[in-house]
Amino acid sequence: MSGWGDTPPDLDRPGFGTPPASADAPRTTTRISVRVNGTQRHAEVEPRTLLSDFLRHDLGLTGTKVGCETGSCGACTVQLDGEPARACLTFAIQVHEADITTIEGLPHGPLHAAFHEHHALQCGFCTAGMLMTLDAFLKTNPEPTEDEVKHALSGNLCRCTGYAPIVKAVLER
Amino acid sequence: MKPAPFEYVVAGSWDEAVAALDGDSRVLAGGQSLVPLMNQRLVRPRRLVDISGIPGLIERRRGALRIGATVRQAALERSTLIAGGWPLLRQAVRHVGHPATRARGTIGGSVVHADPRAELICALIALDARFTLSSGRAVHGPLQLGPGELLTAIEVPRLQPFAKSAFVAYARTSGSFADAAVAVVLEPDRAADAVLGAGRAGEAEAAVRAGASATDAAALAADLVDGDHHRALVAELTRRALVEAGHA
Ligand code: FES
Ligand code: FES
C-alpha cells in the first residue's frame, strides 16, 4: 500500500466517475498460450486484459512501460510477430498463439551501446518503446537517413532528451 | 485503466461476423481507433466481434484494384501492386498514424471509423473507390452502413495510362491527424481533387480540365472549407498537389 492508499479493486464501482458495469456483462476468462521472448507461456485472461497489462502484471515483464493507454506515446511498443505494435491497443486474448518480443527479449547490441554512448535516455521511460520500434525499423532500413529515423520515431514520445541524442545514437551506432 | 468487461467472439468469416453482431456489439478489426475509446470507456460494448482473422487480399481483378477490408495498413504501404498502379494510396497511408499503429490498423477500419480527418478516405474519394458490403450492396461515395452491414472490400478502378497523382498533407507533427490534406488524380480526360473532410472539389476539377492555372483552381478548392487559416492551407496544398501531379 502506498501513502495514497490501495488502488480501488474495480474502477467500475458507483461514484468513481463511470457508470457501473451492466449486470449482464460477462466476466469469463479464457486460456491463452503465447510465445514471449522465446518461451511458451500459458495464462487465463479476461477478454478486456490489455497486452500491456498482461505482460506487466501476469508475466512480470515490467520493461514494457505504459504511458497513456490511448496509443499516443509509444512507451508500450513491443514486437508482435516481428512487427512493432502498441501493447496498450491490443488485447491479450488476441495474441493467442502469436510470438511476442519485449525489451527483455531484445539482445544487447550496438543500438543499446549507442544509446548509452550518446545519452539517448534520461529517465528511461520511453526507451523500451524506442528500442523495440527501432529494432523493427532497422531490420528493413539498415542505413536510414536522419529524416527516415525521425519519421520512424514519430510515434514515440520522449519528455527528457529532446530527441536529438536518440536520432544521433541511431545514426552513429 | 481497463475497458469495461465485454464478451469476445472471433469471427472466421463475414457471415459469422454478421450473425454475431447485435445492437450492443462492436466490430474489432485492427483496434487502433476502437481500443483507445474503450480504454477511456467512451465506448462500452457488451460484445466485441473480432474480424481481424478474416483473410483480406490486395489483388487486381479485371484491371481494377480490390482491397479486402481486413488488410492491414502496413500491407498496403508495402504492396508492390499498389506502388505500381495506385501510388496515391501508398502516399496517403504513410500519413496514417505511426509504423506501430499501421502494423495493426486495417484499411476497412479506417474507412468505417470515418473520422473526417482520415487521410485514406480522402485518397479513396479521389480515386472513385467503391465499397462492397456484406449485404451485397456496393456504395459509391460517402459510406453509410445499415444495421448489421459490414464493409468487406474496397474496389478502385484502373487508372488510365499516363495518370498522375499526388497526396499532400499538412500536420503539425508527423503522424497526428492532418490539419488539411488534398488528393489529386490527373488523367488525360479526368481530373479529381479531394479535400480532406470536405469531399470532391467539383469546381476546381472543372477549372483544371478547362486549363486554368494551378493557383486559380486551388482558390476554388479552398471554397469548400471555412476559416482563413484552413482556406489558406487548402489553397496552398491543392496548388502543390496539382503541380506535383504535373499541372502547371
Ligand atoms: S501506453 Fe501504449 S501508446 Fe502510450
Ligand atoms: S528518457 Fe525520459 S521520456 Fe525519454
Side-chain angles (χ1 to χ4, degrees), chain A residues 52-69:
Chain A
S52 44
D53 286 344
F54 172 70
L55 292 170
R56 292 176 53 86
H57 303 171
D58 293 351
L59 302 188
L61 296 173
T62 51
T64 301
K65 301 296 184 239
V66 171
C68 63
E69 290 189 327

Side-chain angles (χ1 to χ4, degrees), chain B residues 144-161:
Chain B
Q144 281 279 354
L145 292 175
E149 241 177 3
L150 295 173
L151 172 69
T152 57
I154 299 160
E155 278 176 48
V156 181
R158 174 209 327 245
L159 293 181
Q160 297 166 22

Side-chain angles (χ1 to χ4, degrees), chain A residues 151, chain B residues 73 77 88-98 102 117-120 167-171 173-178 180-181:
Chain A
H151 203 78
Chain B
Q73 291 154 9
E77 187 179 355
L88 182 70
L89 287 175
R90 180 181 153 109
Q91 282 185 300
V93 80
R94 291 197 162 159
H95 292 272
V96 180
H98 312 289
R102 291 199 289 273
R117 299 160 300 173
E119 292 90 346
L120 267 178
F167 187 89
V168 188
Y170 173 78
T173 59
S174 159
S176 27
F177 277 114

Side-chain angles (χ1 to χ4, degrees), chain A residues 65-76 86-88:
Chain A
K65 301 296 184 239
V66 171
C68 63
E69 290 189 327
T70 55
S72 316
C73 73
C76 66
R86 304 273 207 240
C88 74

Side-chain angles (χ1 to χ4, degrees), chain A residues 25-105:
Chain A
R27 299 294 285 265
T28 54
T29 61
T30 304
R31 196 161 178 76
I32 61 164
S33 160
V34 50
R35 207 173 167 76
V36 180
N37 299 332
T39 312
Q40 202 68 32
R41 310 291 295 255
H42 307 272
E44 289 281 335
V45 295
E46 252 190 277
R48 63 168 170 164
T49 305
L50 297 170
L51 177 57
S52 44
D53 286 344
F54 172 70
L55 292 170
R56 292 176 53 86
H57 303 171
D58 293 351
L59 302 188
L61 296 173
T62 51
T64 301
K65 301 296 184 239
V66 171
C68 63
E69 290 189 327
T70 55
S72 316
C73 73
C76 66
T77 307
V78 297
Q79 287 175 14
L80 171 48
D81 293 329
E83 298 269 359
R86 304 273 207 240
C88 74
L89 298 189
T90 308
F91 294 111
I93 200 168
Q94 291 180 281
V95 300
H96 179 54
E97 292 184 345
D99 195 276
I100 308 270
T101 308
T102 67
I103 188 66
E104 288 89 345

